[in-house]
Amino acid sequence: MRASTGSGLEKLRRQGSLSLQDMARIRARMDKRPDDEHEDEEWAWGYTAGYAAAWAGAVLRLLDMRDIAVPKEVFRPLHVCPDPDTPTRCFDRAITVDTPEELFTAEPGHARPDGS
């Protein structure tokens, strides 16, 4: 897939026009070669899981660089969050928070990492 197509899909996702799951399904179809036997849904699930895990790792790295210790009560929800967009929001917050718990401060219209 061309980089411009991928960045265009990411832009739509960040604007809220395209869910992460839909973006993954599109990428699965675009990246599929004739000799591939992968199922689009399996590929999309793996892409979504990897995407969320990468952002969660980036959040932890940013907090580490800011010398903010992350307790297991924050680490676990960040990695097992049912909303795959939460780690990207947490990354934005990680730039300015004073404590790791502030990553999950509820915003209007956004689910907390525990799904509530």
Side-chain angles (χ1 to χ4, degrees):
M1 174 172 51
R2 286 195 216 118
S4 62
T5 304
S7 62
L9 290 173
E10 177 64 18
K11 184 176 180 180
L12 288 172
R13 192 202 65 75
R14 285 193 165 256
Q15 292 172 344
S17 302
L18 187 66
S19 72
L20 179 57
Q21 290 84 359
D22 288 340
M23 181 177 84
R25 286 183 191 102
I26 292 167
R27 290 192 66 154
R29 289 189 182 120
M30 292 176 67
D31 287 351
K32 197 171 191 174
R33 294 183 303 257
D35 59 337
D36 279 347
E37 295 182 18
H38 71 72
E39 294 292 324
D40 289 351
E41 285 303 312
E42 285 180 18
W43 193 98
W45 181 88
Y47 180 89
T48 301
Y51 184 96
W55 276 103
V59 170
L60 295 173
R61 175 73 173 139
L62 179 56
L63 291 174
D64 181 55
M65 294 299 295
R66 295 187 59 221
D67 292 323
I68 297 175
V70 179
K72 67 180 176 185
E73 294 81 15
V74 172
F75 179 88
R76 181 162 169 64
L78 184 61
H79 281 282
V80 298
C81 176
D83 173 17
D85 290 324
T86 294
T88 57
R89 287 192 301 272
C90 287
F91 181 81
D92 293 342
R93 291 182 193 155
I95 296 168
T96 59
V97 298
D98 294 318
T99 67
E101 292 79 13
E102 292 176 59
L103 294 173
F104 302 127
T105 303
E107 288 182 24
H110 293 292
R112 291 177 47 88
D114 60 7
S116 62

